[in-house]
């Protein structure tokens, strides 16, 4: 691929200027090469400004409004919910629950829907490529209910082996909970097909969209997913806020998860009546400013264009595979680039993944190393750790060249030892 002659789906440098942190020097004045976007992304000035503006001009607690400022704060908070609802094409804002992130969203479903619906011997179908956030809440549910956890296996090239689905979906399967995009392999899973097959078998589906919502168009109605979870901080929003989307009928039938203020219609000394959606699942003071910041991030995402982001990251990923693939010691995990999002996890012959990350850091290049909260997946791959470069639309082909050069340098350092 001759990257200099390709017409790129978007021009990263025109957006980079909005991200103050991307132009700050790190380590002895070197430019920052930020390739840890699967862990968390950076924020443009517009999001930071929305946060500052809220605190400086519009901040009060929400939904308690007798006063003017509280009304303003509530309007901004509910505007953000509306933006998110449109962004994912929910049927109504009542289907959008603010959580602290993907982790809390999945825990909410496991606790509330799980405890109400799962009985001994019922089956929950997961996959071998899940983040711990989509494993441990189900382990905990298993401890409470003695249900059975099953897993869709992965193929040698890191895709879900859907040939197994007919036998794994049984009349005991109540829920299928799957990641849309693997945070390690980058694999984009055929969620709509899995939803259709799960529904035909009488099971509902939760989609972990932590790694997909920030990078490509997400239409919950088109997927026909029953629950969808994602995090604000992976899509340029603040940390501390995330979303659980749920079909209204399911959410209405579920008991509240946490108890406290805001989630009630009426409280007596000996009992309570829950509020309507979405308040029923938002006990206590919510993440007010983070939610407003997430609304600003969504405005920004829509300006850039989700399809363009997806298409551009596709080019970057292909370029990364080609460029890094010329290094004989480099081995990427997961499928071919056409089948994955902008995540390139890899091992290097003769250098531990943590050492790789440390040597890259000397060049100002930020990547993650370790098991990326996916220990069972690494075990399946026969390794304990990997290094991971993950992209966003503000990354450039030149940064991938820098990564390749730094990896060559790391090999030279190790050979000298
Ligand atoms: N699901 C997936 C697929 C993820 O990648 C992550 C975070 C989560 C759930 C949890 O999200 P949280 O916002 O609630 O923490 N993944 C990563 C990662 O790959 N590196 O750091 C965090």
């Amino acid at each position: 691929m001759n990257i200099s002659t390709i017409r790129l789906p978007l021009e990263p440098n025109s957006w980079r200027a909005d991200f103050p942190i991307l132009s700050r020097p790190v380590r002895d004045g070197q430019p920052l090469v930020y390739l840890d976007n699967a862990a968390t992304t950076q924020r443009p000035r517009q999001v930071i400004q929305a946060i500052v503006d809220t605190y400086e001009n519009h901040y009060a607690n929400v939904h308690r409004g007798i006063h003017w400022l509280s009304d303003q704060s509530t309007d901004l908070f509910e505007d953000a919910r509306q933006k998110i609802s449109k962004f994912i094409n929910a049927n109504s804002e009542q289907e959008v629950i603010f959580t602290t992130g993907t982790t809390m969203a999945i825990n909410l479903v496991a606790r509330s829907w799980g405890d109400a619906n799962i009985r001994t011997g019922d089956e929950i179908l997961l996959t071998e490529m899940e983040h711990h956030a989509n494993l441990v809440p189900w382990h905990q549910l298993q401890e409470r209910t003695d249900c059975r956890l099953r897993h869709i296996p992965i193929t040698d090239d890191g895709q879900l082996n859907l040939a197994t689905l007919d036998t794994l979906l049984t009349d005991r399967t109540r829920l299928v909970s799957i990641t849309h995009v693997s945070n390690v392999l980058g694999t984009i899973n055929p969620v709509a097909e899995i939803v259709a097959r799960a529904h035909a078998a009488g099971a509902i589906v939760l989609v972990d969209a932590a790694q997909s919502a920030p990078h490509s168009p997400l239409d919950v109605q088109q997927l026909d997913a029953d629950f969808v979870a994602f995090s604000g901080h992976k899509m340029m929003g603040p940390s501390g806020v995330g979303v659980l989307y749920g079909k209204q009928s399911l959410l209405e039938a579920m008991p509240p998860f946490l108890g406290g203020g805001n989630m009630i219609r009426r409280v007596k000394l000996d009992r309570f009546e829950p509020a309507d959606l979405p308040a029923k699942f938002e006990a206590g003071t919510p993440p007010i400013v983070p939610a407003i910041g997430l609304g600003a991030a969504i405005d920004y995402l829509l300006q850039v264009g989700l399809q363009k982001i997806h298409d551009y990251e596709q080019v970057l990923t292909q370029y990364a595979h080609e460029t890094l693939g010329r290094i004989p010691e480099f081995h990427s995990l997961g499928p071919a680039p056409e089948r994955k999002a902008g995540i390139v996890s890899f091992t290097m012959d003769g250098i531990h993944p943590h050492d790789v990350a440390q040597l890259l850091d000397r060049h100002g290049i930020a990547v993650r190393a370790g098991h990326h909260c996916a220990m069972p997946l690494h075990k399946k791959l026969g390794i304990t750790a990997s290094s991971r470069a993950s992209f966003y639309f503000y990354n450039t082909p030149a940064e991938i060249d820098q990564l390749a050069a730094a990896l060559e340098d790391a090999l030279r350092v190790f050979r000298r030892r």
Side-chain angles (χ1 to χ4, degrees), residues 122-334:
D122 283 347
E123 293 175 6
I124 292 176
L125 184 56
L126 309 169
T127 83
E128 287 182 338
M129 62 167 81
E130 298 308 316
H131 186 280
H132 296 166
N134 195 28
L135 290 172
V136 181
W138 309 115
H139 295 151
Q140 292 172 307
L141 180 64
Q142 183 183 38
E143 283 168 12
R144 295 196 296 279
T145 64
D146 209 18
C147 63
R148 181 175 180 206
L149 305 182
R150 306 186 76 181
H151 302 87
I152 304 174
I154 57 168
T155 59
D156 288 345
D157 72 340
Q159 299 189 65
L160 291 179
N161 180 354
L162 293 186
T164 63
L165 208 50
D166 283 336
T167 43
L168 285 172
L169 282 169
T170 72
D171 58 1
R172 296 307 305 265
T173 313
R174 298 279 171 267
L175 172 76
V176 178
S177 190
I178 45 167
T179 194
H180 199 170
V181 167
S182 160
N183 70 316
V184 178
L185 304 170
T187 318
I188 303 172
N189 290 320
V191 166
E193 179 192 341
I194 296 169
V195 170
R197 290 173 72 178
H199 284 172
I204 62 165
V205 180
L206 185 157
V207 177
D208 174 350
Q211 299 291 352
S212 61
H215 301 278
S216 52
L218 174 65
D219 184 328
V220 294
Q221 294 195 67
Q222 199 181 351
L223 291 180
D224 199 19
D226 300 283
F227 297 110
V228 178
F230 53 96
S231 298
H233 69 96
K234 291 189 200 287
M235 50 204 296
M236 300 182 290
S239 58
V241 68
V243 170
L244 173 68
Y245 157 83
K247 282 186 183 161
Q248 188 153 345
S249 55
L250 278 167
L251 291 174
E252 272 171 355
M254 282 157 55
F257 169 45
L258 299 173
N262 191 56
M263 51 70 75
I264 49 85
R265 182 195 307 278
R266 212 165 285 113
V267 179
K268 296 190 174 173
L269 280 179
D270 58 350
R271 79 191 102 102
F272 76 98
E273 248 178 72
D276 289 336
L277 293 174
K280 179 167 89 172
F281 291 108
E282 294 181 357
T285 298
I288 302 168
V289 181
I292 294 168
L294 177 54
I298 282 174
D299 288 341
Y300 192 89
L301 271 169
L302 292 173
Q303 227 186 314
V304 183
L306 270 294
Q307 191 59 49
K308 279 188 184 167
I309 292 175
H310 170 82
D311 294 347
Y312 176 64
E313 288 176 9
Q314 195 68 57
V315 175
L316 272 188
T317 306
Q318 297 222 13
Y319 184 65
H321 269 251
E322 236 180 75
T323 310
L324 303 171
R326 286 191 207 108
I327 303 171
E329 291 84 354
F330 170 93
H331 304 284
S332 74
L333 307 180

Side-chain angles (χ1 to χ4, degrees), residues 1-225:
M1 172 187 283
N2 187 347
I3 198 85
S4 55
T5 59
I6 286 178
R7 218 180 102 81
L8 297 174
L10 62 75
E11 176 42 65
N13 288 312
S14 67
W15 300 104
R16 280 179 81 84
D18 287 334
F19 293 77
I21 206 168
L22 295 180
S23 56
R24 70 147 299 184
V26 292
R27 286 200 171 274
D28 320 320
Q30 297 181 79
L32 167 67
V33 176
Y34 187 77
L35 301 177
D36 196 15
N37 294 287
T40 197
T41 56
Q42 300 297 347
R43 279 122 206 82
R45 224 173 243 115
Q46 289 83 338
V47 170
I48 298 167
Q49 200 46 49
I51 295 165
V52 172
D53 181 52
T54 305
Y55 278 126
E56 288 188 349
N57 297 302
H58 311 291
Y59 183 73
N61 211 330
V62 292
H63 302 139
R64 276 107 169 130
I66 304 294
H67 59 80
W68 187 82
L69 210 51
S70 176
D71 283 345
Q72 286 220 331
S73 183
T74 303
D75 285 350
L76 287 173
F77 180 71
E78 290 303 328
D79 277 357
R81 192 192 307 277
Q82 204 163 20
K83 283 176 193 175
I84 292 160
S85 172
K86 276 205 189 127
F87 179 73
I88 61 173
N89 192 29
N91 220 354
S92 92
E93 293 103 82
Q94 295 187 315
E95 298 181 320
V96 174
I97 312 293
F98 282 119
T99 65
T100 58
T102 307
T103 302
M104 181 181 159
I106 298 174
N107 275 275
L108 191 165
V109 176
R111 280 274 170 186
S112 170
W113 181 88
D115 284 3
N117 291 283
I118 295 296
R119 301 284 168 263
T120 302
D122 283 347
E123 293 175 6
I124 292 176
L125 184 56
L126 309 169
T127 83
E128 287 182 338
M129 62 167 81
E130 298 308 316
H131 186 280
H132 296 166
N134 195 28
L135 290 172
V136 181
W138 309 115
H139 295 151
Q140 292 172 307
L141 180 64
Q142 183 183 38
E143 283 168 12
R144 295 196 296 279
T145 64
D146 209 18
C147 63
R148 181 175 180 206
L149 305 182
R150 306 186 76 181
H151 302 87
I152 304 174
I154 57 168
T155 59
D156 288 345
D157 72 340
Q159 299 189 65
L160 291 179
N161 180 354
L162 293 186
T164 63
L165 208 50
D166 283 336
T167 43
L168 285 172
L169 282 169
T170 72
D171 58 1
R172 296 307 305 265
T173 313
R174 298 279 171 267
L175 172 76
V176 178
S177 190
I178 45 167
T179 194
H180 199 170
V181 167
S182 160
N183 70 316
V184 178
L185 304 170
T187 318
I188 303 172
N189 290 320
V191 166
E193 179 192 341
I194 296 169
V195 170
R197 290 173 72 178
H199 284 172
I204 62 165
V205 180
L206 185 157
V207 177
D208 174 350
Q211 299 291 352
S212 61
H215 301 278
S216 52
L218 174 65
D219 184 328
V220 294
Q221 294 195 67
Q222 199 181 351
L223 291 180
D224 199 19

